[in-house]
């Protein structure tokens, strides 16, 4: 028992915000015992241990995950010998003995309550989230967790994240009464047999039943299980609506996969739509007709769906069946307030009126897209809205998890989303249709500079696997950009730079080879280049323009630049086909003749190199809130 408790308390200290080098030394000294017992300790300590730290010569204890600290007694903080000697459990107390001879009695009762299987590094986040919710719940309101795109078992890095998420929701629900749980679809990956998928859903629903609230899902495209035996509408209702209580289901051919719930005391109606129909994205005729009737109410209306009916709100910019009819129904509904959706795996708010990236559809209503619960980083596609952000996730930290607690406050005319884990809180004004808080991109510095200095070594973290958004003819590399937000908080952006070939002819087999040697990224010779280019992909940053790209190279080289696949221009407005030996500077947006190329917030670019044998020693990219002149 002594060895167990000793390792347990050191493990708790290891994930705490400790302030003393002596404590750090103690942790390092006992790291091996922590590793040996980690499997045994995770989620099943016999007691819930308080957090400890040494601060200013005092040993302090916290029973609420670090929100409040109490002094236990003085320690010899100036001495490097102030280490934990032993920990003994005696009834309801821990007896902590330090190597300087001091002994402390730390009660295990009081404010501390068992948190089930909650991991210790979430205790601070639980306390912070509760505090945020208490401030908002000062009037009659609707409060519910909202989660999107679980994709159970699909993440190779954290396949069972949803079990951790439910533990965190259960801990929150001990003090916060939830009206329901909203899931915005894609609870599973849909790549298994029907029996296997049902088994996964059974486990997930057993988990959600631990939260004292009904479960309201919107059917996602993966939930249909279209890869290996698609479910019928009847099966979807049976499998996914088993914990959906006290609602009005549709009685159409959609077989109860659409429904709404009225909250009479608040005058609120929440409508959940099935945006998938037999493997087809969009809204069936039956769904549209039922939705138009459901909108006929004097209650305030909030709509939940997996996909959005607005192309500019989506990661892929696709048209979905009956998008216009759903939009028209919403515009005609005087009591419509807000639309919530998942699917795109990003955080993004769409206020009304709102003009997004040039050339896209005008935003017709207030809407909010929620990032995925699935543990994944940097899946950004070229068609993402300009200010969309996928929060960076890190295993073993609070950013491992990601879901919202939504607070609808009819009296104040506000909707708040309180983020648990990776991401940020938001506030929406239902009267004006505007976001009251800063978007994630607004907290980025006004100017951000990334320098890939090949002369100092290979600048990338690792090679990234090619996915459907990337060309199979090249490699993408991960670059972690550290920055300081405007509010002083440290941030990190996980970006992908690409080095690849691009051919205008699908049958073109010419490849410009590249290598890294002698502090240079080198593009090799090739025969008959024709329409084949060497290409460097420069990723965009949400809410920022790429204002310049500077490439330092060793010989005269012909460079052009492409905004996605739409525009290709010379390196600068007055550049000849062969610019001088580096550096070559691209100023964006370009002007060629009388035509201005729209840069676009968050846009990425492809730098195309049409000269063989070029050696690049440095690439400097500047991102800014202001377009270059």
């Amino acid at each position: 028992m002594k060895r167990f408790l000793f390792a347990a308390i050191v493990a708790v200290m290891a994930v705490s915000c400790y302030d003393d080098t002596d404590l750090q030394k103690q942790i390092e000294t006992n790291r091996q015992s922590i590793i040996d017992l980690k499997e045994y300790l995770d989620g099943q300590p016999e007691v819930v241990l308080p957090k400890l730290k040494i601060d200013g010569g005092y040993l302090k204890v916290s029973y609420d995950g670090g929100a409040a600290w109490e002094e236990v007694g003085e320690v010899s903080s100036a001495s490097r010998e102030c280490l934990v000697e032993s920990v003994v459990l005696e009834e309801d107390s821990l007896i902590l003995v330090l190597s300087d001879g001091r002994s402390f009695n730390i009660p295990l009762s009081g404010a501390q309550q068992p948190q089930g299987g909650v991991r210790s590094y979430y205790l601070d986040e639980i306390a912070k989230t509760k505090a945020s919710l208490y401030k908002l719940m000062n009037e009659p309101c609707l409060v519910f967790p909202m989660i999107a795109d679980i994709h159970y078992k699909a993440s190779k890095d954290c396949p069972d994240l949803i079990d951790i998420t439910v533990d965190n929701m259960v801990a929150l629900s001990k003090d916060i009464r939830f009206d329901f749980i909203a899931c915005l679809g894609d609870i599973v990956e849909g790549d298994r047999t029907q029996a296997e998928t049902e088994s996964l859903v059974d486990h997930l629903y057993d988990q959600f039943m631990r939260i004292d609230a009904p479960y309201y899902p919107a059917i996602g495209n993966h939930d249909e299980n279209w890869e290996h035996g698609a479910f019928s509408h009847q099966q979807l209702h049976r499998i996914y609506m088993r914990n959906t209580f006290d609602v009005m289901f549709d009685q159409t051919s959609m077989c109860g996969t659409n429904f709404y719930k009225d909250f009479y005391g608040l005058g609120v109606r929440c409508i959940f739509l099935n945006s998938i129909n037999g493997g087809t994205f969009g809204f069936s005729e039956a769904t549209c007709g039922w939705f138009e009737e459901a909108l006929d109410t004097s209650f305030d209306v909030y709509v939940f769906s997996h996909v959005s009916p607005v192309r500019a709100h989506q990661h892929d910019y696709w048209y979905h069946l009956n998008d216009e009819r759903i939009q028209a129904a919403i515009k005609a509904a005087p009591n419509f307030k807000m639309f919530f959706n998942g699917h795109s795996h990003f955080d993004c708010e769409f206020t009304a009126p709102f003009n997004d990236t040039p050339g896209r559809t005008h935003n017709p209503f207030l809407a909010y897209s929620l990032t995925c619960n699935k543990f994944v980083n940097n899946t950004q596609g070229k068609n993402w809205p300009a200010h969309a952000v996928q929060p960076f996730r890190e295993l073993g930290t609070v950013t491992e998890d990601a879901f919202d607690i939504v607070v609808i406050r009819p009296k104040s005319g506000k909707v708040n989303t309180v983020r648990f884990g990776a991401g940020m809180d938001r506030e929406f004004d239902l009267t004006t249709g505007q976001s009251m808080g800063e978007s994630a991109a607004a907290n980025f510095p006004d100017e951000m500079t990334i320098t890939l200095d090949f002369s100092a070594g290979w600048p990338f973290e690792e090679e990234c696997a090619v996915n459907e958004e990337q060309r199979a003819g090249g490699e993408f590399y991960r670059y972690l950009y550290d920055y300081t937000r405007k509010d002083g908080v440290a941030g990190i952006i996980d970006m992908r730079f690409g080095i690849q070939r691009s051919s205008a002819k699908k049958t073109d087999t010419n490849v410009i080879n590249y290598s890294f040697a002698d502090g240079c990224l080198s593009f090799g010779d090739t025969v008959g280049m024709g329409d084949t280019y060497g290409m460097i992909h420069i990723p965009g940053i949400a809410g920022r323009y790429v204002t310049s790209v500077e490439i330092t190279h060793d010989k005269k080289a012909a460079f052009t630049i492409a905004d996605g696949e739409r525009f290709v221009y010379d390196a600068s407005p007055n550049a000849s086909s062969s610019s001088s030996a580096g550096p070559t500077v691209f100023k964006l947006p370009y002007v060629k003749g009388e035509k201005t190329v729209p840069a676009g917030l968050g846009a990425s670019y492809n730098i195309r190199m049409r000269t063989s044998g070029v050696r690049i020693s440095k690439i400097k990219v500047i991102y800014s809130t202001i377009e270059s002149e």
Side-chain angles (χ1 to χ4, degrees), residues 428-552:
F428 301 90
D429 189 323
L430 299 173
T431 304
T432 63
Q434 297 295 314
S435 169
M436 303 299 292
E438 291 185 318
S439 68
N443 244 326
F444 292 157
D446 288 338
E447 184 170 291
M448 309 169 78
T449 302
I450 292 178
T451 301
L452 305 178
D453 189 353
F454 295 97
S455 64
W458 187 243
F460 302 111
E461 295 283 332
E462 60 187 21
E463 185 175 345
C464 304
V466 176
N467 61 36
E468 65 274 7
E469 295 293 338
Q470 303 169 359
R471 298 175 182 274
E475 286 74 45
F476 277 69
Y477 296 94
R478 184 185 189 193
Y479 184 85
L480 298 180
Y481 174 58
D482 296 307
Y483 69 100
T484 301
R485 295 179 4 167
K486 288 182 178 179
D487 58 9
V489 177
I492 186 169
I493 301 177
D494 190 355
M495 308 183 75
R496 289 187 183 186
F497 287 81
I499 306 172
Q500 58 190 132
R501 68 180 284 256
S502 173
S503 175
K505 301 176 182 178
K506 293 183 178 180
T507 58
D508 197 333
T509 57
N510 296 324
V511 178
I512 296 181
N513 298 314
Y514 61 88
S515 62
F516 172 69
D518 301 324
C520 288
L521 174 65
S522 302
F523 287 84
D525 294 324
T526 187
V527 178
M529 292 177 65
D531 292 317
T532 301
Y533 305 85
M535 190 160 70
I536 302 170
H537 174 75
I538 306 295
I541 293 180
R544 298 295 177 269
Y545 296 99
V546 177
T547 53
S548 74
V549 179
E550 180 179 310
I551 298 181
T552 304

Side-chain angles (χ1 to χ4, degrees), residues 146-172:
M146 185 168 68
I147 191 170
D149 297 271
I150 297 168
H151 292 276
Y152 186 37
K153 296 293 187 182
S155 171
K156 62 181 179 61
D157 296 311
C158 195
D160 297 303
L161 174 61
I162 187 59
D163 296 331
I164 299 172
T165 299
V166 173
D167 285 340
N168 292 328
M169 287 184 180
V170 169
L172 291 169

Side-chain angles (χ1 to χ4, degrees), residues 353-374:
F354 184 91
N355 289 308
D356 196 33
T357 305
R360 289 194 171 186
T361 307
H362 177 73
N363 182 62
F365 47 74
L366 181 63
Y368 171 54
S369 173
L370 174 61
T371 193
C372 56
N373 175 255
K374 174 186 175 182

Side-chain angles (χ1 to χ4, degrees), residues 206-262:
D206 286 342
Q207 288 284 74
F208 280 118
M209 283 294 288
R210 296 166 50 205
I211 306 168
D212 186 21
Y215 177 80
Y216 294 167
I219 299 298
N221 53 294
H222 286 263
D223 298 324
E224 280 199 329
N225 210 60
W226 45 268
E227 287 194 31
H228 295 285
F231 294 125
S232 66
H233 293 317
Q234 294 92 335
Q235 288 175 310
L236 288 171
H237 179 84
R238 174 180 61 80
I239 295 168
Y240 292 103
M241 309 297 171
R242 69 184 74 172
N243 293 338
T244 304
F245 307 123
D246 193 25
V247 301
M248 291 295 295
F249 289 108
D250 72 81
Q251 302 299 316
T252 69
S253 58
M254 299 303 289
C255 302
T257 55
N258 301 297
F259 60 91
Y260 66 79
K261 166 67 177 177
D262 286 337

